[in-house]
Amino acid sequence: MIFPENFVWGAATASYQIEGAVKEDGRGQSIWDTFSHAPGNVADGDTGDVACDHYHRYRDDVALMRELGLAAYRFSVAWPRIQPDGRGPANPRGLAFYDRLVDELLEAGISPYLTLYHWDLPQALEDRGGWADRDTAHRFAEYAAVVHDRLGDRVQNWATLNEPWVAAFLGYGNGVHAPGRKDPASAMRSAHHLLLGHGLAAARLREAGAASIMLVVNSSPVLTPAQVNDHEAVPDEADAAAVDRVHALLTRQFLDPALHGRYPEEVLAAAGRNGGTGHILDGDLEAINAPIDLIGINYYNPCVVEAGPGLPADAAWPGSEDIRFAPADAPVTAMGWPIVPDGLSRLLVRLSKDYPDVGLMVTENGAAFDDVVEDGRVHDADRVSFLRGHLREVGRAIEAGADLRGYLVWSLLDNFEWAEGYRRRFGIVHVDYATQVRVLKDSALWYRDVIAANRL
Ligand code: FCB
């Protein structure tokens, strides 16, 4: 399988998951500092205080990327480094870190893909209501402009938000992520304000001359249990309705407003049952519909559902009454996530039809396994086979006509996996957290060869 010329190969990370240095150079507190330090929220009481110490080791990490032949590196900027309280003038020392990182990448011939928000909201903004408060959207647009002002001369590729579904519904819905709130109405409001922040920021970035603007979503094909292993399976009416509703809540809730300027009926109905739609003001959908260039897709597994008459809504899924979230008949990763590679091609083909005016990029895909270091090597055959299987589906989606521009593996490094802490390793590079020694896993060496050959 040969990939298109100019297909972008890369890897992704996020600020709170790798940087550490949480008190350095004037960085303010984020909701993940607060959340991870409160007992019981993160496995083993882990925090991002040190993480991969990337803040100090970024030069070595960029050298690893160069060794692997990456064309692109997707990282996120920690908002509390730039505006410690989430508003007001920029902290020059915070900006300077990303300035150095970008220069280092460019010198290594690697294109920076900059994500403005990968979940580390300044705590000061959470104290004023967080994403459930409309003002946060305006603060975000201002922050975007501040970052672009400093880096826009060198960074071409901008992403506004990472996975607004997760930020809203795990952060404010089931409380598994920071800030740990459990209120369906706040989660629905947060989703809308994240979208509004996206649109306002996209407009500011465009105005300032950004070449490419992207919204990154976690998306999955929504399937019935029978459809997981049988593409031809035809669900009955009740199951089909469950599938459509969950697809609306997961994917269309974000991409329909961003790309078509309207909410799906199912989402308005869900909001109606959870606090109402009063937070959606005149003009918001026009703002959210600001032109963008790409959708970033983070794919890990399919979402499997069927009709479940009488069931209450899941806390992460306001509006999912009468639906059962079902396991998939498939092998799983160390996260317990089912491995369904062709879910990726099914998803990409569908999204390219539903949103034909923008390009697609796989901005995250990868897997956690229980890696062991043996004689300085990590033989992560499971991860190699996961990546190979998914890349094959990337190729198939391109053959089927999806306008897919690139693939970024999650993740470059083992890192702080949110509520799972450090016990879940997603890296193609192993990190020994006691010594900060990095070791290229077999998957990294394999990926290097795929990149060099531009084929599987
Ligand atoms: C995604 C997140 C990313 C990482 C992977 C495993 O939801 O965007 O930070 O944690 O999952």
Side-chain angles (χ1 to χ4, degrees):
M1 182 162 272
I2 303 175
F3 290 89
E5 226 180 296
N6 300 325
F7 190 73
V8 178
W9 295 101
T13 64
S15 47
Y16 190 71
Q17 295 181 277
I18 64 165
E19 287 178 356
V22 293
K23 296 211 166 117
E24 253 166 270
D25 293 336
R27 177 185 179 277
Q29 192 173 325
S30 81
I31 56 173
W32 270 97
D33 297 296
T34 313
F35 186 78
S36 65
H37 278 269
N41 286 334
V42 176
D44 306 320
D46 290 341
T47 74
D49 287 3
V50 179
C52 307
D53 195 31
H54 172 78
Y55 194 77
H56 300 115
R57 295 167 194 265
Y58 70 92
R59 284 203 177 84
D60 297 343
D61 292 336
V62 173
L64 288 175
M65 298 177 212
R66 174 186 255 176
E67 196 178 328
L68 297 178
L70 303 190
Y73 173 55
R74 174 175 174 244
F75 62 96
S76 75
V77 171
W79 186 350
R81 288 197 195 282
I82 309 305
Q83 291 173 306
D85 294 323
R87 57 174 63 232
N91 164 31
R93 288 179 296 163
L95 278 172
F97 168 68
Y98 298 104
D99 204 86
R100 295 192 295 274
L101 173 63
V102 163
D103 284 345
E104 194 74 18
L105 288 165
L106 293 174
E107 209 159 296
I110 300 166
S111 301
Y113 278 65
L114 186 155
T115 301
L116 285 161
Y117 186 71
H118 201 127
W119 308 349
D120 37 6
L121 185 72
Q123 180 64 41
L125 293 184
E126 176 58 26
D127 295 342
R128 305 171 72 114
W131 285 110
D133 185 62
R134 185 179 174 88
D135 187 54
T136 300
H138 294 284
R139 301 283 70 75
F140 177 67
E142 253 176 54
Y143 153 69
V146 167
V147 178
H148 189 278
D149 194 44
R150 177 70 176 259
L151 301 176
D153 57 337
R154 284 153 292 155
V155 176
Q156 311 292 319
N157 296 286
W158 294 78
T160 53
L161 308 173
N162 178 71
E163 301 189 355
W165 185 90
V166 172
F169 293 101
L170 301 194
Y172 296 81
N174 71 2
V176 167
H177 279 191
R181 282 159 65 178
K182 299 180 187 174
D183 172 42
S186 296
M188 293 303 300
R189 293 170 67 88
S190 294
H192 179 71
H193 295 144
L194 280 152
L195 277 166
L196 182 60
H198 155 77
L200 296 172
R204 297 287 292 264
L205 294 170
R206 182 74 68 205
E207 205 181 279
S212 175
I213 301 170
M214 151 162 91
L215 172 63
V216 175
V217 295
N218 53 300
S219 190
S220 297
V222 183
L223 308 171
T224 61
Q227 286 178 311
V228 173
N229 293 304
D230 177 3
H231 287 220
E232 310 301 317
V234 180
D236 67 22
E237 212 175 299
D239 286 348
V243 163
D244 285 347
R245 178 142 50 103
V246 171
H247 179 68
L249 296 174
L250 176 62
T251 299
R252 293 181 54 214
Q253 171 157 213
F254 298 93
L255 295 184
D256 282 16
L259 296 163
H260 298 153
R262 57 176 183 264
Y263 272 116
E265 282 309 315
E266 293 91 332
V267 170
L268 295 173
R273 295 199 293 281
N274 292 283
T277 53
H279 58 286
I280 304 172
L281 305 189
D282 277 356
D284 283 3
L285 282 156
E286 287 77 6
I288 292 168
N289 193 19
I292 57 173
D293 306 283
L294 289 175
I295 312 175
I297 311 293
N298 297 350
Y299 172 74
Y300 291 93
N301 49 38
C303 184
V304 184
V305 303
E306 59 195 354
L311 287 177
D314 184 286
W317 299 89
S320 70
E321 295 84 355
D322 305 306
I323 290 176
R324 192 170 88 88
F325 290 84
D329 178 16
V332 295
T333 68
M335 294 288 282
W337 294 351
I339 303 173
V340 184
D342 69 8
L344 180 54
S345 48
R346 291 196 237 186
L347 176 68
L348 292 170
V349 169
R350 163 132 195 213
L351 295 181
S352 69
K353 291 197 173 119
D354 289 355
Y355 308 101
D357 301 335
V358 287
L360 302 177
M361 179 149 193
V362 175
T363 36
E364 289 182 24
N365 175 242
F369 292 105
D370 296 325
D371 302 315
V372 283
V373 184
E374 291 168 273
D375 303 326
R377 302 284 303 270
V378 179
H379 301 300
D380 58 339
D382 286 342
R383 186 172 291 101
V384 171
S385 104
F386 181 99
L387 295 175
R388 184 190 288 116
H390 285 76
L391 280 178
R392 209 175 277 142
E393 297 302 324
V394 162
R396 288 199 177 122
I398 295 170
E399 277 165 16
D403 178 11
L404 188 66
R405 312 284 176 83
Y407 175 91
L408 311 180
V409 70
W410 183 271
S411 179
L412 178 71
L413 303 170
D414 290 338
N415 62 48
F416 176 79
E417 177 45 36
W418 309 114
E420 297 293 326
Y422 296 102
R423 66 182 181 175
R424 299 290 177 244
R425 295 179 174 275
F426 274 91
I428 56 171
V429 176
H430 184 274
V431 177
D432 178 334
Y433 295 109
T435 61
Q436 293 295 347
V437 168
R438 274 78 160 139
V439 168
L440 301 185
K441 301 181 192 177
D442 286 358
S443 56
L445 303 173
W446 172 85
Y447 193 46
R448 179 193 62 192
D449 294 346
V450 171
I451 294 172
N454 200 38
R455 67 186 329 150
L456 264 192

